[in-house]
Amino acid sequence: MSGLLIQNGRVVTAVDDYRADILCRDGRIVQIGEDLSVGEDVETVDADGKLVLPGGVDVHTHMENTFGGATTADTYESGTIAAAFGGTTTIVDFAMQGQGERLPEALGRTLERAEPQAGIDFGLHIITTDVNDQALADMKDLIRHEGVTSFKMFMAYPGVVMVDDAAIFRAMRLVGQHGGMITLHAENGLVIDQLVREALDQGHTAPKYHELTRPALMEGEATHRGIKLAELAEAPVYFVHLSCREALKSVIEARDLRIPVFAETCPHYLFLDRSLYADESFEIAKYVMTPPLREKEDQEHLWQALKFDDLQVISTDHCPFCLREGHLGLKNQKTRGKDDFSQIPNGAPGVETRMSMVFDGGVHGQRMSLNRFVQLTATAPAKIFGLFPRKGTIAVGSDADIVLFDPDEEFVISAASHHSRVDYTLFEGRKIRGRVKKVWSRGTKVVDGDEWLGRPGHGRYVKRGEVGGF
Ligand code: URP
Ligand code: ZN
Ligand code: ZN
């Protein structure tokens, strides 16, 4: 079959909501209309009663990513399969600059791993840990020629990946001038390290001390500082995994002043809270991610901010490490920190549950409209990170990345049935209304119910354009 016709569905984009047929050829959407008639070379799919959504765009995932000696549990193959089952058809993952490594080498090394494995399309940010003249020159080339238009920098983890304010400022100024953007992990790393040392000195080694040593105030402080650096650099800035009111306040203030500041939050901050750390057992290592879960009251602030565009994106920060050592042969996972919470690899899974969780809690929960759901999970991330209009919407000329979604089907989230290699989900046992039924990536059906129809290497590296679309 050379074409695909999705008939009679309710097509929902960030701005539209109508019944139509969608004709796709050669991986792209070529026609949208009522009662389209087509030849016999076209496969037809009846979408009556279903939502037809643009494939989700998750701009924060970590596949095969090594931090301080621990590597995430998902490969590019398993992670992109998990993403597709969750209704996401594009991820923007990370290439990580190694010590003494040039940024183009980090990109090349990551592409070598990702391209043969990816089941859906992907872009790459580069985690930049060493800002020097060469790195700045490389950033310019990467933006212009390689489609890497965003670079993540850490204000936390001194001695591992943290860069200082001057480095952030230099990178912001250069990248901003060339159509790119710095994304920031905003936490005051030096103060947090001090708190971690003090806790360990007092014999506090349990996972719950992860949260107690990473106060929201220090995320707020770093967010404020990051904004001031961006303001001085006259460059846009994007805050990853924003979790709390203290950080949100600075973002709102800056946006009110028309400073180009953007931020994402993640489902775990919307649905889970710090009361989960009350348990003394090692089991709660599954909630050891950074920033940690915050107060219950923070959730309402985040939902409100998503509704009123103070936050623009919901991504996952999918960064899975197994609870059980040796699961699928994986080593150096969460139990690395069984005697010292600071050694627990930070991160949690989420790529497979994002769309359904947000649909259930956001749309069914009457916290956002259906259009806003699409905006936050697909269109805005595609626009901000230079993927739009190829990705993130349903329009003539866009890639045929399409999700058939049943808004009313219920299912129960469980690690027993998910596709990620990690051995837990943050939302085990949760009953959800709203389920991904079929997924096409550039017109190729990759998910049909419980069946994976894709293949490793189908997913392509997407060179991104200038950031913006603000
Ligand atoms: O705990 C987290 N979030 N780990 C992933 C790395 C990061 O900071 O995004
Ligand atoms: Zn981070
Ligand atoms: Zn992350």
Side-chain angles (χ1 to χ4, degrees), residues 5 7 21 23 25 31 34-39 42:
L5 181 70
Q7 283 179 315
D21 299 347
L23 179 64
R25 284 193 191 276
Q31 202 178 350
E34 284 183 339
D35 303 322
L36 297 184
S37 58
V38 291
V42 170

PDB file of all heavy atoms in Angstrom, residues 5 7 21 23 25 31 34-39 42:
ATOM      1  N   LEU A   5      -5.389   6.287   4.466  1.00  0.00           N
ATOM      2  CA  LEU A   5      -6.518   7.203   4.656  1.00  0.00           C
ATOM      3  C   LEU A   5      -7.136   6.922   6.020  1.00  0.00           C
ATOM      4  O   LEU A   5      -7.622   5.813   6.274  1.00  0.00           O
ATOM      5  CB  LEU A   5      -7.560   6.992   3.555  1.00  0.00           C
ATOM      6  CG  LEU A   5      -8.781   7.918   3.640  1.00  0.00           C
ATOM      7  CD1 LEU A   5      -8.399   9.365   3.298  1.00  0.00           C
ATOM      8  CD2 LEU A   5      -9.900   7.429   2.713  1.00  0.00           C
ATOM      9  N   GLN A   7     -10.134   7.715   8.174  1.00  0.00           N
ATOM     10  CA  GLN A   7     -11.455   8.255   7.859  1.00  0.00           C
ATOM     11  C   GLN A   7     -12.269   8.563   9.096  1.00  0.00           C
ATOM     12  O   GLN A   7     -12.265   7.792  10.054  1.00  0.00           O
ATOM     13  CB  GLN A   7     -12.253   7.212   7.057  1.00  0.00           C
ATOM     14  CG  GLN A   7     -11.843   7.115   5.612  1.00  0.00           C
ATOM     15  CD  GLN A   7     -12.652   6.052   4.894  1.00  0.00           C
ATOM     16  OE1 GLN A   7     -12.834   4.955   5.419  1.00  0.00           O
ATOM     17  NE2 GLN A   7     -13.130   6.365   3.690  1.00  0.00           N
ATOM     18  N   ASP A  21     -11.368  13.385   7.032  1.00  0.00           N
ATOM     19  CA  ASP A  21     -10.502  12.297   6.579  1.00  0.00           C
ATOM     20  C   ASP A  21      -9.105  12.883   6.365  1.00  0.00           C
ATOM     21  O   ASP A  21      -8.967  14.041   5.958  1.00  0.00           O
ATOM     22  CB  ASP A  21     -10.986  11.734   5.241  1.00  0.00           C
ATOM     23  CG  ASP A  21     -12.394  11.148   5.340  1.00  0.00           C
ATOM     24  OD1 ASP A  21     -12.877  10.965   6.475  1.00  0.00           O
ATOM     25  OD2 ASP A  21     -12.983  10.883   4.270  1.00  0.00           O
ATOM     26  N   LEU A  23      -5.526  12.046   4.386  1.00  0.00           N
ATOM     27  CA  LEU A  23      -4.816  11.205   3.415  1.00  0.00           C
ATOM     28  C   LEU A  23      -3.308  11.441   3.552  1.00  0.00           C
ATOM     29  O   LEU A  23      -2.847  12.590   3.560  1.00  0.00           O
ATOM     30  CB  LEU A  23      -5.274  11.538   1.986  1.00  0.00           C
ATOM     31  CG  LEU A  23      -4.592  10.743   0.865  1.00  0.00           C
ATOM     32  CD1 LEU A  23      -4.908   9.243   0.965  1.00  0.00           C
ATOM     33  CD2 LEU A  23      -5.016  11.282  -0.516  1.00  0.00           C
ATOM     34  N   ARG A  25       0.569  10.235   2.148  1.00  0.00           N
ATOM     35  CA  ARG A  25       1.382   9.540   1.142  1.00  0.00           C
ATOM     36  C   ARG A  25       2.849   9.868   1.390  1.00  0.00           C
ATOM     37  O   ARG A  25       3.171  11.004   1.756  1.00  0.00           O
ATOM     38  CB  ARG A  25       1.011   9.989  -0.274  1.00  0.00           C
ATOM     39  CG  ARG A  25      -0.293   9.407  -0.786  1.00  0.00           C
ATOM     40  CD  ARG A  25      -0.417   9.635  -2.291  1.00  0.00           C
ATOM     41  NE  ARG A  25      -1.768   9.324  -2.769  1.00  0.00           N
ATOM     42  CZ  ARG A  25      -2.185   8.098  -3.086  1.00  0.00           C
ATOM     43  NH1 ARG A  25      -1.365   7.077  -2.990  1.00  0.00           N
ATOM     44  NH2 ARG A  25      -3.426   7.903  -3.506  1.00  0.00           N
ATOM     45  N   GLN A  31      -3.576  15.494   2.181  1.00  0.00           N
ATOM     46  CA  GLN A  31      -4.913  16.074   2.006  1.00  0.00           C
ATOM     47  C   GLN A  31      -5.740  15.860   3.269  1.00  0.00           C
ATOM     48  O   GLN A  31      -5.671  14.795   3.897  1.00  0.00           O
ATOM     49  CB  GLN A  31      -5.594  15.375   0.815  1.00  0.00           C
ATOM     50  CG  GLN A  31      -6.698  16.189   0.193  1.00  0.00           C
ATOM     51  CD  GLN A  31      -7.323  15.468  -1.024  1.00  0.00           C
ATOM     52  OE1 GLN A  31      -6.801  14.449  -1.496  1.00  0.00           O
ATOM     53  NE2 GLN A  31      -8.423  16.000  -1.517  1.00  0.00           N
ATOM     54  N   GLU A  34     -13.450  16.342   3.793  1.00  0.00           N
ATOM     55  CA  GLU A  34     -14.611  15.494   4.065  1.00  0.00           C
ATOM     56  C   GLU A  34     -14.757  14.468   2.953  1.00  0.00           C
ATOM     57  O   GLU A  34     -14.606  14.800   1.777  1.00  0.00           O
ATOM     58  CB  GLU A  34     -15.873  16.356   4.135  1.00  0.00           C
ATOM     59  CG  GLU A  34     -15.984  17.139   5.427  1.00  0.00           C
ATOM     60  CD  GLU A  34     -17.277  17.940   5.499  1.00  0.00           C
ATOM     61  OE1 GLU A  34     -17.869  18.194   4.437  1.00  0.00           O
ATOM     62  OE2 GLU A  34     -17.658  18.312   6.604  1.00  0.00           O
ATOM     63  N   ASP A  35     -15.065  13.243   3.316  1.00  0.00           N
ATOM     64  CA  ASP A  35     -15.369  12.177   2.356  1.00  0.00           C
ATOM     65  C   ASP A  35     -14.363  12.095   1.218  1.00  0.00           C
ATOM     66  O   ASP A  35     -14.736  12.120   0.041  1.00  0.00           O
ATOM     67  CB  ASP A  35     -16.783  12.378   1.782  1.00  0.00           C
ATOM     68  CG  ASP A  35     -17.821  12.430   2.891  1.00  0.00           C
ATOM     69  OD1 ASP A  35     -17.675  11.666   3.861  1.00  0.00           O
ATOM     70  OD2 ASP A  35     -18.746  13.254   2.795  1.00  0.00           O
ATOM     71  N   LEU A  36     -13.111  12.013   1.565  1.00  0.00           N
ATOM     72  CA  LEU A  36     -12.080  11.925   0.516  1.00  0.00           C
ATOM     73  C   LEU A  36     -12.218  10.585  -0.202  1.00  0.00           C
ATOM     74  O   LEU A  36     -12.422   9.542   0.434  1.00  0.00           O
ATOM     75  CB  LEU A  36     -10.679  12.025   1.145  1.00  0.00           C
ATOM     76  CG  LEU A  36     -10.334  13.340   1.850  1.00  0.00           C
ATOM     77  CD1 LEU A  36      -8.883  13.294   2.320  1.00  0.00           C
ATOM     78  CD2 LEU A  36     -10.545  14.542   0.925  1.00  0.00           C
ATOM     79  N   SER A  37     -12.127  10.603  -1.526  1.00  0.00           N
ATOM     80  CA  SER A  37     -12.152   9.332  -2.249  1.00  0.00           C
ATOM     81  C   SER A  37     -10.753   9.061  -2.778  1.00  0.00           C
ATOM     82  O   SER A  37     -10.058   9.959  -3.263  1.00  0.00           O
ATOM     83  CB  SER A  37     -13.174   9.362  -3.383  1.00  0.00           C
ATOM     84  OG  SER A  37     -12.866  10.424  -4.251  1.00  0.00           O
ATOM     85  N   VAL A  38     -10.366   7.797  -2.666  1.00  0.00           N
ATOM     86  CA  VAL A  38      -8.983   7.435  -3.003  1.00  0.00           C
ATOM     87  C   VAL A  38      -8.960   6.147  -3.804  1.00  0.00           C
ATOM     88  O   VAL A  38      -9.955   5.414  -3.865  1.00  0.00           O
ATOM     89  CB  VAL A  38      -8.141   7.248  -1.720  1.00  0.00           C
ATOM     90  CG1 VAL A  38      -7.927   8.567  -1.018  1.00  0.00           C
ATOM     91  CG2 VAL A  38      -8.785   6.234  -0.801  1.00  0.00           C
ATOM     92  N   GLY A  39      -7.815   5.837  -4.383  1.00  0.00           N
ATOM     93  CA  GLY A  39      -7.663   4.624  -5.181  1.00  0.00           C
ATOM     94  C   GLY A  39      -7.437   3.396  -4.311  1.00  0.00           C
ATOM     95  O   GLY A  39      -7.411   3.479  -3.076  1.00  0.00           O
ATOM     96  N   VAL A  42      -4.586   2.516  -1.428  1.00  0.00           N
ATOM     97  CA  VAL A  42      -4.580   3.224  -0.139  1.00  0.00           C
ATOM     98  C   VAL A  42      -5.243   2.369   0.943  1.00  0.00           C
ATOM     99  O   VAL A  42      -6.356   1.864   0.767  1.00  0.00           O
ATOM    100  CB  VAL A  42      -5.324   4.578  -0.285  1.00  0.00           C
ATOM    101  CG1 VAL A  42      -5.546   5.233   1.058  1.00  0.00           C
ATOM    102  CG2 VAL A  42      -4.535   5.515  -1.198  1.00  0.00           C
TER     103      VAL A  42
END
